[in-house]
Amino acid sequence: MQFTNEELKQKIEVLKSKLDVTVVAHFYQRDEVFEVGDITGDSLELATRTRDDDAEFVMFCGVGFMGQSVKVLSPNKRVVMPKIACCAMASMITGVQYDEAVSSMNESGITNDNILPITYINSSAEVKAKVGEMGGLVCTSSNAKKIIATALKEGKKILFVPDRCLGQNIANQMDLKSCVLGDGSDLNAVDIICFDGFCSVHQLFSLDDIAFYRKKFPEILIAVHPECDPSICNASDFVGSTSQLIKYITELDPEQKVAVGTEFNMVSRLRPKNTYILSSTKPECPTMNETTLEDVYLTLKAIDDGEPINEIHIDDKTQKWAKIALERMLAL
Ligand code: 13P
Ligand code: SF4
């Protein structure tokens, strides 16, 4: 039987009040899913706030690496996801590809002792664990600059995975030299070596889109996420993580026009007027959108039936090193 969203919401509220569960939703979730979240936020906020929450179950509405990060930081919690949808960027680097990236640096004469790996939180627990085991740490788009600044003090080469755009954008902001692994650059001549991953959603924004909006509304501001290409970030007025974008946009004068380059669901609920999507193609994250209200209901019902579905499990070794990599970030 098919239920309407209103009926599903009522059923979800009944189950939530009965079960020892906290529902967590990322900003990029569909509106109706976002609305049933007890804790909402960006990936860093969600991982840290769920750690301080004492419910037995966390139901995470987001993408796979986010649910994994909660489990890694809080191994005693039972983490379930309505859909274990894999972020396209996170799936661009496997443990084997990470090892190959390290080997290419070794072939250029850079030994492991001289590599400090940093992984964007948008990566699997397996990759985080490899980074942790090599003495490295995790960053998010909100703290990447601070993490890189601290890491540089060790005087090592930084291997930044998987997002080449975030790595290059931070390098540009800090006047550091960067390259993308495999682009033919001399690895010894740069400070940050970026893996060649990217977010397909954030690649949708183009210089033509920026030129279009600037011509149409000369006073408009352009605000984008640092997963956009460096050429887009350089041509924008503000570059920030999801939380930073929310703060910037909601604090603007209501009459100030702004065109935003990040995921559609978040932008569409930010501000009632004068906010535009910086692309003629709807920038929806397909994997974030996989989670429906019906999935949320069915996942709660499975807990109530005593047979939880889509539970996150992480082996002990991965758990140990991924936690170390995440905690090194949180310590900063
Ligand atoms: P945040 O870390 O800002 O939540 O972003 C995650 C993400 O996937 C952006 O595309
Ligand atoms: Fe991953 Fe991009 Fe979706 Fe963010 S928007 S979850 S980086 S695919």
Side-chain angles (χ1 to χ4, degrees):
M1 185 189 162
Q2 289 264 309
F3 297 110
T4 64
N5 276 355
E6 274 322 301
E7 288 167 336
L8 285 169
K9 272 188 190 165
Q10 281 170 15
K11 287 175 175 295
I12 287 168
E13 289 313 321
V14 170
L15 285 169
K16 273 171 60 176
S17 57
K18 188 174 163 195
L19 299 169
D20 188 15
V21 60
T22 299
V23 177
V24 175
H26 188 268
F27 286 133
Y28 290 178
Q29 290 289 292
R30 294 160 181 261
D31 287 350
E32 62 274 20
V33 172
F34 188 76
E35 282 160 19
V36 297
D38 302 307
I39 300 180
T40 55
D42 66 15
S43 56
L44 178 63
E45 287 165 345
L46 296 181
T48 53
R49 286 177 61 199
T50 44
R51 198 174 51 158
D52 302 334
D53 180 80
D54 53 14
E56 181 191 2
F57 281 92
V58 169
M59 194 181 77
F60 200 106
C61 306
V63 284
F65 77 83
M66 297 180 176
Q68 280 188 335
S69 296
V70 172
K71 182 70 185 173
V72 165
L73 284 171
S74 312
N76 296 329
K77 281 192 203 303
R78 298 191 66 181
V79 182
V80 292
M81 299 187 72
K83 277 273 162 68
I84 306 188
C86 192
C87 156
M89 180 199 289
S91 61
M92 284 181 187
I93 185 164
T94 60
V96 171
Q97 287 165 319
Y98 175 82
D99 290 339
E100 285 167 2
V102 172
S103 298
S104 338
M105 290 178 72
N106 296 157
E107 280 158 24
S108 294
I110 308 167
T111 59
N112 283 11
D113 291 348
N114 287 311
I115 300 174
L116 201 150
I118 299 178
T119 182
Y120 187 25
I121 196 163
N122 293 38
S123 55
S124 65
E126 184 194 7
V127 168
K128 289 187 180 79
K130 283 187 175 281
V131 165
E133 208 169 352
M134 271 184 74
L137 71 173
V138 177
C139 76
T140 70
S141 52
S142 39
N143 63 20
K145 196 169 167 184
K146 185 173 180 186
I147 299 283
I148 289 179
T150 309
L152 281 169
K153 291 186 189 140
E154 292 202 24
K156 297 182 180 181
K157 286 269 181 240
I158 291 178
L159 168 61
F160 191 88
V161 303
D163 188 9
R164 63 166 188 242
C165 295
L166 181 61
Q168 289 175 295
N169 283 322
I170 301 294
N172 291 345
Q173 281 175 26
M174 297 176 74
D175 270 335
L176 297 169
K177 290 198 188 89
S178 66
C179 75
V180 178
L181 205 56
D183 71 0
S185 303
D186 174 3
L187 303 188
N188 288 288
V190 299
D191 308 296
I192 304 182
I193 296 156
C194 305
F195 187 79
D196 195 12
F198 58 89
C199 166
S200 40
V201 180
H202 287 86
Q203 299 310 301
L204 283 175
F205 310 107
S206 68
L207 288 174
D208 283 344
D209 290 320
I210 296 182
F212 169 82
Y213 275 108
R214 291 218 192 271
K215 188 167 175 213
K216 190 167 178 187
F217 306 117
E219 77 290 6
I220 200 165
L221 295 172
I222 308 289
V224 301
H225 193 280
E227 286 174 14
C228 294
D229 190 82
S231 61
I232 303 302
C233 293
N234 292 343
S236 299
D237 301 294
F238 182 80
V239 181
S241 68
T242 49
S243 301
Q244 290 160 352
L245 282 169
I246 291 173
K247 186 169 186 304
Y248 175 77
I249 293 159
T250 52
E251 287 178 359
L252 288 174
D253 182 297
E255 294 311 314
Q256 173 65 54
K257 291 184 174 24
V258 63
V260 191
T262 195
E263 213 274 342
F264 176 82
N265 284 330
M266 186 186 101
V267 180
S268 66
R269 68 173 89 92
L270 269 185
R271 202 161 162 254
K273 58 177 202 157
N274 289 325
T275 306
Y276 301 84
I277 305 281
L278 183 66
S279 173
S280 46
T281 308
K282 200 175 178 185
E284 272 179 325
C285 173
T287 43
M288 282 283 185
N289 272 275
E290 276 184 36
T291 303
T292 65
L293 209 51
E294 186 173 19
D295 296 325
V296 174
Y297 164 63
L298 292 174
T299 312
L300 287 173
K301 189 168 174 302
I303 299 176
D304 193 34
D305 292 343
E307 290 178 4
I309 53 171
N310 293 344
E311 186 164 356
I312 305 283
H313 296 285
I314 296 174
D315 68 79
D316 290 348
K317 186 173 179 220
T318 307
Q319 162 74 37
K320 174 185 159 187
W321 287 109
K323 190 163 191 269
I324 289 173
L326 275 161
E327 282 180 343
R328 284 191 186 122
M329 167 182 80
L330 296 176
L332 294 175

